[in-house]
Amino acid sequence: MALKPPTARQQATPPSWRPQGNRGMRLELQHALVPLSLVILALLAFVVRVPWAWLVPVAIAVPVLQISARWYLWRRLPAFERAFNTYLQVGDLRGMLEVWRRSTLLRWVMPSWMRDMRLGMMYLVQERYQHAERLLEEAYDAAPPSQRVQLLGPLARTKYALQDWVDLRAISEQWKQRAPYPGTANLYLAASLLNLPGGDSERADQLLGEAEGWLSDAERKLHGELVLVAAKRRG
């Protein structure tokens, strides 16, 4: 069924797009470290009867390791993201993989949604869209709400490649409202409107006009194609 154009209230409030299905509970190593260590220490102390003099240093070491992991993530993540995103912007998969392989320890301490997001982006560059969709949706589901906006762009590109126009529209509407520079979001929102049965071609034409000046080379090509489609719709 064709979606109706959003009302003024809907335009003011981003749609709440969520991945379909139950993703299950994701276990974060750094979150599980303290409770798991407490269980192990209790077993060692009261079941195995290990002397407390041996257990105290272990009990101290666990929170120290957790704090060290967070410090390492804080120190190393910005440089990793700069290098990774530089290669991502030009679609250099080999460069992305090299940055990924050099960051073994960082991958261990980063949250699972960050790992899934980066893996999904690499699958997107490889044009393995179904793999990218699965990982990016899992990352979106697990990410804190304040961090989800950075996943909307890769998700929109994936949904466009898979021709999932309904999801693409919902994602692009949300991206448009939350992105500081919504030009690319306008492009993909226009694409969904032009491909949905009964889509709003007039609004798509307006969005394409607003998108100009904010696009990469590849997206400028798509922009030109969509402009032609919109012109044909106008007759």
Side-chain angles (χ1 to χ4, degrees):
M1 183 176 67
L3 297 177
K4 295 179 180 179
T7 64
R9 182 177 178 180
Q10 288 172 329
Q11 288 180 355
T13 304
S16 181
W17 176 84
R18 297 282 296 181
Q20 297 297 315
N22 181 14
R23 300 284 163 183
M25 185 172 65
R26 304 296 298 274
L27 181 65
E28 298 285 358
L29 178 62
Q30 58 269 42
H31 295 162
L33 191 59
V34 171
L36 184 61
S37 64
L38 291 175
V39 172
I40 294 172
L41 286 171
L43 289 173
L44 291 174
F46 300 110
V47 178
V48 184
R49 302 292 183 179
V50 175
W52 280 103
W54 294 4
L55 296 179
V56 169
V58 177
I60 294 172
V62 170
V64 169
L65 285 172
Q66 189 174 34
I67 293 170
S68 299
R70 291 183 179 181
W71 176 85
Y72 185 79
L73 181 67
W74 174 75
R75 288 282 296 176
R76 299 295 299 172
L77 186 61
F80 168 83
E81 289 186 327
R82 282 194 301 270
F84 189 94
N85 290 338
T86 297
Y87 290 117
L88 175 64
Q89 288 170 4
V90 296
D92 185 345
L93 180 62
R94 182 173 295 180
M96 294 163 70
L97 286 169
E98 182 61 28
V99 173
W100 184 256
R101 288 168 181 157
R102 289 202 315 261
S103 307
T104 303
L105 181 56
L106 184 63
R107 297 201 314 266
W108 272 96
V109 299
M110 69 171 53
S112 63
W113 70 267
M114 285 188 182
R115 290 193 298 273
D116 287 347
M117 178 177 68
R118 298 302 176 183
L119 287 168
M121 289 174 174
M122 287 190 281
Y123 278 128
L124 181 57
V125 171
Q126 288 180 291
E127 300 181 359
R128 298 172 67 181
Y129 300 119
Q130 291 180 335
H131 289 80
E133 180 185 41
R134 176 179 59 81
L135 284 165
L136 291 171
E137 287 191 351
E138 288 180 356
Y140 184 94
D141 201 43
S146 62
Q147 300 297 322
R148 287 175 175 169
V149 64
Q150 62 186 301
L151 283 147
L152 295 175
L155 277 165
R157 294 178 177 94
T158 302
K159 297 294 185 179
Y160 175 82
L162 293 171
Q163 299 184 7
D164 186 346
W165 309 122
V166 174
D167 269 7
L168 178 60
R169 177 174 185 174
I171 291 166
S172 300
E173 290 275 18
Q174 190 170 344
W175 188 16
K176 175 178 170 60
Q177 295 296 329
R178 297 183 65 183
Y181 305 104
T184 309
N186 289 344
L187 176 70
Y188 286 98
L189 180 52
S192 69
L193 293 172
L194 290 171
N195 283 282
L196 279 168
D200 188 348
S201 56
E202 185 175 329
R203 185 179 179 219
D205 200 28
Q206 178 186 355
L207 289 164
L208 289 170
E210 294 173 358
E212 290 185 280
W214 300 97
L215 306 175
S216 66
D217 291 341
E219 286 163 342
R220 277 197 290 270
K221 181 181 177 182
L222 173 59
H223 180 272
E225 294 170 356
L226 292 175
V227 167
L228 292 176
V229 173
K232 289 179 181 178
R233 293 283 180 89
R234 290 196 303 270

